[in-house]
Amino acid sequence: MSDKLPIIDQMHNADDDRGRADVLLRCPDAILLKYGDVFLRACRKFPAGELFVQERILAMRAVRSAAGGLPGALALELETLRAELTAYAAGAPAPRDKALLGAPLWPLDAPQPAKEPPSLDI
């Protein structure tokens, strides 16, 4: 073992990206914020991990709402990416396109037609 934090050793000694995903999901916020550059370098060839580190650091630095929550888009992106990494660490196929990582599978903010909403009369 080196003089680095054990979780950083685990990140560098992970067998593959699934192992790195597992370490990232378990990493405390304080460690990730302080050593973000170390985790980013360890994820250089693991786009989903790199994006997850960036999103978590962004979330930790984000101004909260009056109720203490993250901005909606950031919260949704981070939670979607967390779910994808969790599935990947458990054996699901790797996300293929970095542009799609963290994006919801459905267009939540798609423009809606400018017409009256449908009637709910029964």
Side-chain angles (χ1 to χ4, degrees):
M1 186 164 145
S2 72
D3 57 349
K4 293 183 274 187
L5 293 174
I7 198 159
I8 292 175
D9 279 335
Q10 292 169 9
M11 189 70 180
H12 287 295
N13 296 330
D15 292 334
D16 55 15
D17 288 342
R18 288 186 199 282
R20 281 183 272 286
D22 184 63
V23 172
L24 289 175
L25 289 164
R26 296 171 190 275
C27 186
D29 286 342
I31 299 296
L32 194 61
L33 186 60
K34 184 172 182 176
Y35 298 99
D37 58 331
V38 174
F39 285 94
L40 285 171
R41 281 193 304 273
C43 292
R44 195 172 318 137
K45 295 183 180 179
F46 177 36
E50 186 177 25
L51 183 60
F52 186 66
V53 171
Q54 292 169 343
E55 291 280 333
R56 279 188 59 193
I57 291 171
L58 184 63
M60 286 183 271
R61 292 179 175 163
V63 174
R64 301 302 198 254
S65 70
L70 288 171
L74 178 57
L76 179 62
E77 290 170 16
L78 185 57
E79 180 56 23
T80 302
L81 185 55
R82 186 206 56 76
E84 290 174 0
L85 275 184
T86 300
Y88 177 62
R96 285 177 252 165
D97 186 352
K98 185 174 179 178
L100 298 176
L101 290 172
L105 300 176
W106 56 93
L108 296 177
D109 58 351
Q112 301 298 312
K115 63 178 183 178
E116 289 294 315
S119 172
L120 298 177
D121 294 334
I122 298 179

